[in-house]
Amino acid sequence: MTAPTLAANDLCHCGSGRKYKRCHRIADLDPQRAAADEARKEAAAREAERYVKPGRLSPRREVPASIDKPPYAHDPTGRPGVRESSAPKDPETLERMRRAGRAAAEVLAVVGAAVRPGITTDELDAIAHEECLKRGGYPSPLGYNGFPKSLCTSVNEVICHGIPDSTVLKDGDIVNLDVTIYLDGVHGDTNATFLVGEVDDDSKRLVEVTRECLAKGIEAVQPGGTVRDIGKAIQAHAEAHGYGVVRAFVGHGIGRAFHSEPQVFHYDNPQARQRLEPGMTFTIEPMITIGDWRHEMWDDGWTAVTKDRSRTAQFEHTLVVTEAGAEILTQL
Ligand code: MF3
Ligand code: CO
Ligand code: CO
C-alpha cells in the first residue's frame, strides 16, 4: 500500500500520532525491506530470550537472633573473618561436620524437590532459607562477601553463584542449587543440577556426565595421594565426552571457614602437589561445559556465565579424607 499524499512531517496514516517519516513511510516505500527488518528484530529478541538475564531481588530475609551466625554475618562487608589451615580436623570437629553435611544434603533435597516450571529462583531461596533455620543452622551464602541471598541458583549458561531473584524457571531449563549451611560452628556445602520439566538430550547428557565427574573426583581421593589426582580424573572424564572444565572456580577446604586451603582444581594442574591426609576436609565441585569453558562475569559481580553461552552443570560434595579414601559428608 502507498500513501503518496503524505509529506514526511505529516502525521502517519496509521493513527499512531507519530510523524509519517518516523512511522510507516519506509514500510510504504519498501514493504519487502520493512518485513525483513521486522523479522530480523524478532529473531534477535528470540535469541536474547534464550539466555538468562538479571531479575528483581526480594528484600533481605531475616535470621532469628537465636541462630548462631558465622562471623562474616555480623560484618556489613561480609568479609570472612576466620582463616583456617588445611590441617586434618580432630574427631570432634569431624562429628560436627557430619551433622552440618547431612543437614546441607537434606536442605538440598527439599529445595530440589520444589523445582518445576513456573517457580521463581527467589521462591527456591525462601525454601532453602527456611529449611536451614528449621535445622538450627544459618544459610552460609547470606551476607558472605556481600552475597544477598541464602542459596545460589545457576540456570543454563550460568556456571555458578547465580543470585535468586524474580526469574521464572521454564520447561527445558537446567538449574544448579548450591546449598551451604553453618551449623554448630562448621559449614556443610553441597550442590546439584536439576532438570526443569522436559529437558533436551544434550543437556541431560551434560548433567549426567557432570555427576560422574564428581564421582570420579571423589574416587581419586586417597591418603598419600595429591590434590592433583582429583582434577586429573575429572578432566579426563569430561574431555572424553567432548566437554570443557571451568578453570576459574575451584573446590576448597571447609570447616569453621566457608573457604580455605587447599584449592581443589577440577583440571590437571601440576601445581597441585599438596598431599592428602586422613582428616582433611574439602569440597569437590566440578563445573562442566558443553562448549567453551571460558567464563564471563555479570555486572552484579557474582553471576559467572560461559563466554559462549553454552550450557553448564555442576555437582558438589563436602568430604573428609579417610584411611581408605574419602567419606562423603553431604549425603542423606
Ligand atoms: N557454595 C559455593 C561454593 O561451593 C560458594 C557460594 S559463595 C556465595 O563454594 F557467596 F555465593 F554464596
Ligand atoms: Co563449595
Ligand atoms: Co557450594
Side-chain angles (χ1 to χ4, degrees):
M1 187 196 67
T2 51
T5 54
L6 285 186
N9 287 320
D10 289 346
L11 290 182
C12 188
H13 55 74
C14 75
S16 67
R18 299 182 347 147
K19 285 182 178 167
Y20 182 47
K21 66 180 180 192
R22 301 242 171 271
C23 199
H24 274 89
R25 189 173 61 160
I26 290 185
D28 292 343
L29 291 176
D30 191 347
Q32 253 176 12
R33 184 181 140 194
D37 282 353
E38 197 51 36
R40 232 186 333 272
K41 245 188 259 164
E42 271 167 25
R46 263 198 312 278
E47 179 72 4
E49 274 304 298
R50 286 177 48 205
Y51 299 117
V52 185
K53 48 184 187 307
R56 272 166 290 102
L57 289 203
S58 65
R60 190 185 170 101
R61 301 203 146 83
E62 302 292 336
V63 177
S66 58
I67 300 263
D68 184 38
K69 300 176 186 59
Y72 58 80
H74 301 286
D75 176 343
T77 70
R79 263 192 288 275
V82 256
R83 285 187 60 93
E84 200 177 20
S85 83
S86 60
K89 306 281 192 280
D90 61 86
E92 184 270 337
T93 303
L94 282 180
E95 207 36 55
R96 283 186 290 130
M97 288 192 68
R98 281 190 188 92
R99 285 200 294 274
R102 195 168 315 117
E106 287 170 8
V107 174
L108 179 60
V110 175
V111 189
V115 169
R116 55 171 172 76
I119 198 163
T120 66
T121 53
D122 185 64
E123 289 173 291
L124 296 173
D125 181 73
I127 298 170
H129 185 86
E130 287 312 315
E131 292 296 324
C132 286
L133 301 185
K134 239 192 235 176
R135 289 166 177 79
Y138 179 90
S140 307
L142 185 62
Y144 182 74
N145 277 133
F147 191 82
K149 291 290 164 189
S150 302
L151 173 73
C152 297
T153 52
S154 302
V155 179
N156 298 345
E157 72 274 13
V158 179
I159 296 169
C160 63
H161 303 163
I163 301 173
D165 62 16
S166 57
T167 299
V168 178
L169 295 181
K170 48 186 199 316
D171 193 55
D173 284 345
I174 59 175
V175 60
N176 177 275
L177 305 178
D178 193 341
V179 168
T180 314
I181 189 170
Y182 181 75
L183 186 65
D184 222 348
V186 292
H187 297 270
D189 188 6
T190 184
N191 76 46
T193 302
F194 296 85
L195 309 180
V196 184
E198 279 303 313
V199 170
D200 67 86
D201 287 343
D202 285 352
S203 300
K204 272 194 218 159
R205 203 170 314 122
L206 168 72
V207 170
E208 278 329 298
V209 171
T210 305
R211 198 195 305 276
E212 291 163 11
C213 281
L214 172 57
K216 300 273 181 195
I218 295 171
E219 280 165 30
V221 173
Q222 43 169 340
T226 65
V227 173
R228 181 177 177 182
D229 303 338
I230 299 167
K232 223 181 194 165
I234 291 168
Q235 184 175 16
H237 191 65
E239 290 182 356
H241 289 268
Y243 293 145
V245 178
V246 172
R247 309 287 201 268
F249 303 92
V250 297
H252 49 91
I254 184 168
R256 285 186 297 113
F258 193 165
H259 295 105
S260 60
E261 293 298 314
Q263 292 191 64
V264 180
F265 302 96
H266 302 115
Y267 59 96
D268 183 21
N269 184 340
Q271 245 108 272
R273 284 184 297 264
Q274 189 171 2
R275 293 247 163 241
L276 301 176
E277 290 174 61
M280 286 174 65
T281 52
F282 53 83
T283 72
I284 304 178
E285 47 184 297
M287 286 139 276
I288 305 299
T289 60
I290 293 183
D292 195 336
W293 52 264
R294 284 173 189 81
H295 80 290
E296 235 167 51
M297 297 299 297
W298 278 8
D299 293 340
D300 62 16
W302 283 105
T303 310
V305 296
T306 54
K307 235 183 162 67
D308 64 4
R309 305 296 186 265
S310 68
R311 285 190 172 194
T312 167
Q314 182 182 24
F315 286 84
E316 173 176 30
H317 274 308
T318 297
L319 47 93
V320 54
V321 182
T322 65
E323 299 294 343
E327 175 190 342
I328 299 172
L329 300 179
T330 40
Q331 235 162 16
L332 293 177

